[in-house]
Short mmCIF file of all heavy atoms in Angstrom, two decimals:
data_model
loop_
_atom_site.label_atom_id
_atom_site.label_comp_id
_atom_site.label_asym_id
_atom_site.label_seq_id
_atom_site.Cartn_x
_atom_site.Cartn_y
_atom_site.Cartn_z
N MET A 255 -8.91 8.32 33.50
CA MET A 255 -9.27 8.84 34.82
C MET A 255 -8.08 8.88 35.76
O MET A 255 -7.94 9.80 36.58
CB MET A 255 -10.37 7.97 35.45
CG MET A 255 -11.77 8.36 35.11
SD MET A 255 -12.92 7.36 36.08
CE MET A 255 -14.47 8.06 35.55
N GLU A 256 -7.23 7.89 35.66
CA GLU A 256 -6.09 7.79 36.57
C GLU A 256 -4.86 8.53 36.06
O GLU A 256 -3.77 8.40 36.62
CB GLU A 256 -5.79 6.32 36.84
CG GLU A 256 -6.93 5.64 37.60
CD GLU A 256 -6.69 4.16 37.87
OE1 GLU A 256 -5.54 3.70 37.68
OE2 GLU A 256 -7.64 3.47 38.27
N GLY A 257 -5.05 9.31 35.00
CA GLY A 257 -3.97 10.18 34.53
C GLY A 257 -2.84 9.47 33.83
O GLY A 257 -1.72 10.01 33.74
N LYS A 258 -3.09 8.28 33.28
CA LYS A 258 -2.03 7.56 32.57
C LYS A 258 -1.63 8.30 31.29
O LYS A 258 -2.47 8.93 30.65
CB LYS A 258 -2.49 6.14 32.22
CG LYS A 258 -2.81 5.26 33.42
CD LYS A 258 -1.59 5.00 34.26
CE LYS A 258 -1.90 4.05 35.40
NZ LYS A 258 -0.74 3.80 36.27
N THR A 259 -0.38 8.22 30.94
CA THR A 259 0.11 8.85 29.72
C THR A 259 0.28 7.83 28.59
O THR A 259 0.67 8.19 27.48
CB THR A 259 1.46 9.55 29.96
OG1 THR A 259 2.40 8.60 30.46
CG2 THR A 259 1.30 10.67 30.97
N GLU A 260 -0.02 6.57 28.89
CA GLU A 260 0.10 5.51 27.90
C GLU A 260 -0.89 4.40 28.21
O GLU A 260 -1.14 4.07 29.36
CB GLU A 260 1.52 4.94 27.89
CG GLU A 260 1.74 3.83 26.86
CD GLU A 260 3.12 3.22 26.94
OE1 GLU A 260 3.43 2.59 27.99
OE2 GLU A 260 3.91 3.37 25.99
N THR A 261 -1.47 3.85 27.16
CA THR A 261 -2.27 2.64 27.28
C THR A 261 -1.97 1.79 26.05
O THR A 261 -0.89 1.91 25.47
CB THR A 261 -3.77 2.97 27.42
OG1 THR A 261 -4.50 1.77 27.64
CG2 THR A 261 -4.32 3.68 26.19
N GLY A 262 -2.86 0.92 25.66
CA GLY A 262 -2.58 0.10 24.49
C GLY A 262 -3.61 -0.99 24.30
O GLY A 262 -4.68 -0.98 24.93
N VAL A 263 -3.29 -1.91 23.42
CA VAL A 263 -4.16 -3.07 23.18
C VAL A 263 -3.35 -4.34 23.35
O VAL A 263 -2.14 -4.36 23.11
CB VAL A 263 -4.77 -3.04 21.76
CG1 VAL A 263 -5.81 -1.95 21.64
CG2 VAL A 263 -3.70 -2.88 20.70
N THR A 264 -4.03 -5.39 23.78
CA THR A 264 -3.41 -6.70 23.92
C THR A 264 -4.26 -7.74 23.20
O THR A 264 -5.48 -7.79 23.39
CB THR A 264 -3.28 -7.10 25.40
OG1 THR A 264 -2.53 -6.10 26.10
CG2 THR A 264 -2.56 -8.44 25.54
N ILE A 265 -3.62 -8.54 22.37
CA ILE A 265 -4.28 -9.69 21.75
C ILE A 265 -3.94 -10.89 22.63
O ILE A 265 -2.77 -11.17 22.87
CB ILE A 265 -3.80 -9.93 20.31
CG1 ILE A 265 -3.82 -8.63 19.51
CG2 ILE A 265 -4.66 -11.00 19.65
CD1 ILE A 265 -5.17 -7.97 19.39
N MET A 266 -4.97 -11.56 23.12
CA MET A 266 -4.74 -12.60 24.13
C MET A 266 -5.58 -13.83 23.84
O MET A 266 -6.64 -13.77 23.21
CB MET A 266 -5.12 -12.06 25.52
CG MET A 266 -6.53 -11.52 25.57
SD MET A 266 -7.08 -11.02 27.22
CE MET A 266 -7.40 -12.63 27.93
N MET A 267 -5.09 -14.97 24.32
CA MET A 267 -5.90 -16.18 24.33
C MET A 267 -6.92 -16.06 25.46
O MET A 267 -6.61 -15.57 26.54
CB MET A 267 -5.02 -17.41 24.58
CG MET A 267 -3.96 -17.65 23.54
SD MET A 267 -4.64 -17.94 21.88
CE MET A 267 -5.68 -19.38 22.17
N MET A 268 -8.14 -16.47 25.20
CA MET A 268 -9.18 -16.33 26.22
C MET A 268 -9.19 -17.54 27.15
O MET A 268 -9.01 -18.68 26.73
CB MET A 268 -10.54 -16.15 25.57
CG MET A 268 -10.63 -14.86 24.75
SD MET A 268 -12.28 -14.55 24.08
CE MET A 268 -13.18 -14.13 25.58
N ALA A 269 -9.39 -17.25 28.45
CA ALA A 269 -9.50 -18.28 29.48
C ALA A 269 -10.77 -17.99 30.28
O ALA A 269 -11.47 -17.02 30.03
CB ALA A 269 -8.27 -18.26 30.37
N GLU A 270 -11.04 -18.84 31.27
CA GLU A 270 -12.28 -18.68 32.03
C GLU A 270 -12.25 -17.45 32.94
O GLU A 270 -13.29 -16.90 33.27
CB GLU A 270 -12.54 -19.94 32.87
CG GLU A 270 -12.98 -21.13 32.03
CD GLU A 270 -13.43 -22.29 32.89
OE1 GLU A 270 -14.52 -22.21 33.48
OE2 GLU A 270 -12.67 -23.27 32.98
N GLY A 271 -11.07 -17.00 33.38
CA GLY A 271 -10.99 -15.82 34.22
C GLY A 271 -11.26 -14.54 33.44
O GLY A 271 -11.36 -14.53 32.21
N LEU A 272 -11.37 -13.42 34.15
CA LEU A 272 -11.64 -12.13 33.54
C LEU A 272 -10.36 -11.55 32.95
O LEU A 272 -9.50 -11.03 33.68
CB LEU A 272 -12.23 -11.16 34.58
CG LEU A 272 -12.58 -9.76 34.09
CD1 LEU A 272 -13.66 -9.81 33.01
CD2 LEU A 272 -13.02 -8.88 35.25
N ASP A 273 -10.20 -11.68 31.63
CA ASP A 273 -9.02 -11.15 30.92
C ASP A 273 -7.71 -11.68 31.50
O ASP A 273 -6.73 -10.95 31.64
CB ASP A 273 -9.03 -9.61 30.95
CG ASP A 273 -10.26 -9.03 30.28
OD1 ASP A 273 -10.71 -9.59 29.28
OD2 ASP A 273 -10.78 -8.00 30.77
N THR A 274 -7.68 -12.96 31.80
CA THR A 274 -6.51 -13.57 32.44
C THR A 274 -5.69 -14.45 31.50
O THR A 274 -4.67 -15.00 31.90
CB THR A 274 -6.93 -14.42 33.65
OG1 THR A 274 -7.88 -15.43 33.20
CG2 THR A 274 -7.59 -13.58 34.73
N GLY A 275 -6.11 -14.61 30.26
CA GLY A 275 -5.47 -15.54 29.34
C GLY A 275 -4.06 -15.11 28.93
O GLY A 275 -3.64 -13.97 29.13
N ASP A 276 -3.35 -16.05 28.33
CA ASP A 276 -1.98 -15.79 27.86
C ASP A 276 -1.99 -14.73 26.76
O ASP A 276 -2.88 -14.70 25.89
CB ASP A 276 -1.35 -17.07 27.32
CG ASP A 276 -1.06 -18.07 28.42
OD1 ASP A 276 -1.19 -17.71 29.61
OD2 ASP A 276 -0.71 -19.22 28.09
N MET A 277 -0.97 -13.88 26.77
CA MET A 277 -0.87 -12.78 25.80
C MET A 277 -0.11 -13.23 24.55
O MET A 277 0.86 -13.96 24.63
CB MET A 277 -0.16 -11.59 26.45
CG MET A 277 -0.87 -11.07 27.69
SD MET A 277 0.03 -9.69 28.48
CE MET A 277 1.52 -10.55 29.04
N LEU A 278 -0.59 -12.74 23.40
CA LEU A 278 0.06 -13.06 22.12
C LEU A 278 0.84 -11.88 21.56
O LEU A 278 1.94 -12.05 21.04
CB LEU A 278 -1.00 -13.51 21.11
CG LEU A 278 -1.82 -14.74 21.50
CD1 LEU A 278 -2.91 -14.99 20.46
CD2 LEU A 278 -0.92 -15.97 21.64
N LYS A 279 0.27 -10.69 21.63
CA LYS A 279 0.93 -9.52 21.07
C LYS A 279 0.27 -8.27 21.66
O LYS A 279 -0.91 -8.29 22.01
CB LYS A 279 0.79 -9.50 19.53
CG LYS A 279 1.84 -8.68 18.80
CD LYS A 279 1.67 -8.84 17.29
CE LYS A 279 2.80 -8.21 16.50
NZ LYS A 279 4.10 -8.88 16.69
N SER A 280 1.02 -7.18 21.76
CA SER A 280 0.46 -5.93 22.27
C SER A 280 1.02 -4.75 21.50
O SER A 280 2.04 -4.86 20.81
CB SER A 280 0.76 -5.77 23.77
OG SER A 280 2.14 -5.69 24.00
N ALA A 281 0.35 -3.61 21.62
CA ALA A 281 0.79 -2.37 20.98
C ALA A 281 0.43 -1.20 21.89
O ALA A 281 -0.67 -1.16 22.45
CB ALA A 281 0.13 -2.20 19.61
N SER A 282 1.37 -0.27 22.05
CA SER A 282 1.15 0.88 22.93
C SER A 282 0.52 2.05 22.19
O SER A 282 0.76 2.24 20.99
CB SER A 282 2.48 1.33 23.54
OG SER A 282 3.04 0.31 24.33
N VAL A 283 -0.26 2.84 22.93
CA VAL A 283 -0.89 4.05 22.39
C VAL A 283 -0.73 5.16 23.42
O VAL A 283 -1.07 4.97 24.59
CB VAL A 283 -2.39 3.80 22.10
CG1 VAL A 283 -3.10 5.11 21.78
CG2 VAL A 283 -2.57 2.82 20.95
N PRO A 284 -0.19 6.34 23.02
CA PRO A 284 -0.02 7.43 23.99
C PRO A 284 -1.34 8.10 24.34
O PRO A 284 -2.29 8.10 23.53
CB PRO A 284 0.90 8.40 23.24
CG PRO A 284 0.61 8.16 21.80
CD PRO A 284 0.31 6.69 21.68
N ILE A 285 -1.41 8.68 25.53
CA ILE A 285 -2.56 9.46 25.96
C ILE A 285 -2.08 10.88 26.24
O ILE A 285 -1.28 11.10 27.16
CB ILE A 285 -3.21 8.90 27.25
CG1 ILE A 285 -3.64 7.44 27.04
CG2 ILE A 285 -4.42 9.74 27.66
CD1 ILE A 285 -4.20 6.79 28.30
N GLY A 286 -2.54 11.85 25.46
CA GLY A 286 -2.17 13.25 25.67
C GLY A 286 -2.95 13.83 26.85
O GLY A 286 -3.98 13.30 27.25
N GLU A 287 -2.48 14.96 27.38
CA GLU A 287 -3.08 15.53 28.59
C GLU A 287 -4.50 16.02 28.37
O GLU A 287 -5.25 16.20 29.34
CB GLU A 287 -2.21 16.67 29.13
CG GLU A 287 -2.04 17.84 28.18
CD GLU A 287 -1.17 18.93 28.79
OE1 GLU A 287 -1.59 19.52 29.79
OE2 GLU A 287 -0.07 19.17 28.26
N ASN A 288 -4.90 16.23 27.12
CA ASN A 288 -6.27 16.67 26.84
C ASN A 288 -7.05 15.67 25.99
O ASN A 288 -8.17 15.97 25.57
CB ASN A 288 -6.26 18.04 26.15
CG ASN A 288 -5.77 19.14 27.08
OD1 ASN A 288 -6.25 19.28 28.20
ND2 ASN A 288 -4.80 19.91 26.62
N ASP A 289 -6.49 14.51 25.75
CA ASP A 289 -7.20 13.47 25.00
C ASP A 289 -8.39 12.97 25.80
O ASP A 289 -8.28 12.74 27.01
CB ASP A 289 -6.28 12.29 24.69
CG ASP A 289 -5.25 12.62 23.62
OD1 ASP A 289 -5.48 13.56 22.84
OD2 ASP A 289 -4.21 11.94 23.58
N ASP A 290 -9.53 12.79 25.13
CA ASP A 290 -10.71 12.27 25.82
C ASP A 290 -10.97 10.82 25.42
O ASP A 290 -10.23 10.22 24.64
CB ASP A 290 -11.94 13.15 25.58
CG ASP A 290 -12.37 13.19 24.12
OD1 ASP A 290 -11.82 12.43 23.29
OD2 ASP A 290 -13.26 14.00 23.78
N PHE A 291 -12.04 10.26 25.97
CA PHE A 291 -12.38 8.85 25.72
C PHE A 291 -12.55 8.57 24.23
O PHE A 291 -12.04 7.58 23.71
CB PHE A 291 -13.65 8.47 26.47
CG PHE A 291 -14.25 7.16 26.05
CD1 PHE A 291 -13.62 5.97 26.39
CD2 PHE A 291 -15.40 7.11 25.29
CE1 PHE A 291 -14.15 4.74 25.98
CE2 PHE A 291 -15.94 5.90 24.88
CZ PHE A 291 -15.32 4.72 25.23
N GLU A 292 -13.26 9.45 23.54
CA GLU A 292 -13.52 9.23 22.12
C GLU A 292 -12.21 9.14 21.33
O GLU A 292 -12.04 8.25 20.49
CB GLU A 292 -14.39 10.36 21.57
CG GLU A 292 -14.75 10.19 20.11
CD GLU A 292 -15.71 11.26 19.63
OE1 GLU A 292 -15.47 12.45 19.93
OE2 GLU A 292 -16.70 10.93 18.96
N CYS A 293 -11.31 10.05 21.62
CA CYS A 293 -10.02 10.09 20.91
C CYS A 293 -9.23 8.81 21.14
O CYS A 293 -8.74 8.18 20.19
CB CYS A 293 -9.23 11.31 21.39
SG CYS A 293 -7.54 11.40 20.77
N ILE A 294 -9.09 8.41 22.39
CA ILE A 294 -8.30 7.21 22.71
C ILE A 294 -9.01 5.95 22.23
O ILE A 294 -8.37 5.00 21.75
CB ILE A 294 -8.01 7.14 24.22
CG1 ILE A 294 -7.23 8.40 24.66
CG2 ILE A 294 -7.21 5.90 24.57
CD1 ILE A 294 -5.94 8.63 23.89
N HIS A 295 -10.33 5.91 22.35
CA HIS A 295 -11.11 4.78 21.84
C HIS A 295 -10.81 4.53 20.37
O HIS A 295 -10.56 3.40 19.95
CB HIS A 295 -12.60 5.05 22.05
CG HIS A 295 -13.51 4.10 21.34
ND1 HIS A 295 -13.82 4.21 20.00
CD2 HIS A 295 -14.18 3.01 21.79
CE1 HIS A 295 -14.63 3.24 19.65
NE2 HIS A 295 -14.87 2.49 20.72
N ASP A 296 -10.83 5.59 19.57
CA ASP A 296 -10.62 5.45 18.14
C ASP A 296 -9.18 4.99 17.84
O ASP A 296 -8.96 4.16 16.95
CB ASP A 296 -10.92 6.76 17.42
CG ASP A 296 -12.41 7.11 17.46
OD1 ASP A 296 -13.20 6.26 17.90
OD2 ASP A 296 -12.76 8.24 17.07
N ARG A 297 -8.22 5.54 18.57
CA ARG A 297 -6.83 5.11 18.36
C ARG A 297 -6.65 3.64 18.71
O ARG A 297 -5.98 2.89 18.00
CB ARG A 297 -5.89 5.95 19.23
CG ARG A 297 -5.66 7.36 18.75
CD ARG A 297 -4.65 8.05 19.65
NE ARG A 297 -4.73 9.50 19.54
CZ ARG A 297 -4.19 10.34 20.40
NH1 ARG A 297 -3.51 9.87 21.43
NH2 ARG A 297 -4.30 11.64 20.24
N LEU A 298 -7.25 3.24 19.83
CA LEU A 298 -7.11 1.85 20.27
C LEU A 298 -7.83 0.88 19.32
O LEU A 298 -7.35 -0.22 19.08
CB LEU A 298 -7.64 1.68 21.68
CG LEU A 298 -6.79 2.28 22.80
CD1 LEU A 298 -7.50 2.15 24.15
CD2 LEU A 298 -5.44 1.60 22.86
N ALA A 299 -8.98 1.30 18.80
CA ALA A 299 -9.71 0.44 17.87
C ALA A 299 -8.87 0.15 16.63
O ALA A 299 -8.79 -0.98 16.16
CB ALA A 299 -11.03 1.09 17.49
N LYS A 300 -8.21 1.19 16.11
CA LYS A 300 -7.35 1.02 14.93
C LYS A 300 -6.12 0.18 15.27
O LYS A 300 -5.72 -0.71 14.50
CB LYS A 300 -6.95 2.38 14.38
CG LYS A 300 -8.11 3.17 13.78
CD LYS A 300 -7.66 4.55 13.34
CE LYS A 300 -8.83 5.35 12.80
NZ LYS A 300 -8.43 6.73 12.39
#
């Protein structure tokens, strides 16, 4: 929605706050100008 050209996934330790835990590893995933939720969802899941 905010027009980002990149997102990704983060593997994190869980804490009591909302997604505030320490990070262990991350991976970036590009967002094309016509990519929709389904497309990015599937890339991020993999």
Side-chain angles (χ1 to χ4, degrees):
M255 272 186 177
E256 294 179 13
K258 298 296 184 182
T259 58
E260 181 184 65
T261 185
V263 289
T264 303
I265 312 300
M266 55 174 283
M267 299 299 301
M268 296 185 71
E270 288 189 73
L272 180 62
D273 299 324
T274 57
D276 291 351
M277 301 178 294
L278 300 175
K279 203 175 188 67
S280 63
S282 298
V283 170
I285 303 176
E287 62 180 295
N288 292 309
D289 287 338
D290 63 8
F291 167 72
E292 182 175 46
C293 173
I294 301 304
H295 169 279
D296 292 352
R297 285 184 200 165
L298 287 175
K300 292 176 182 178

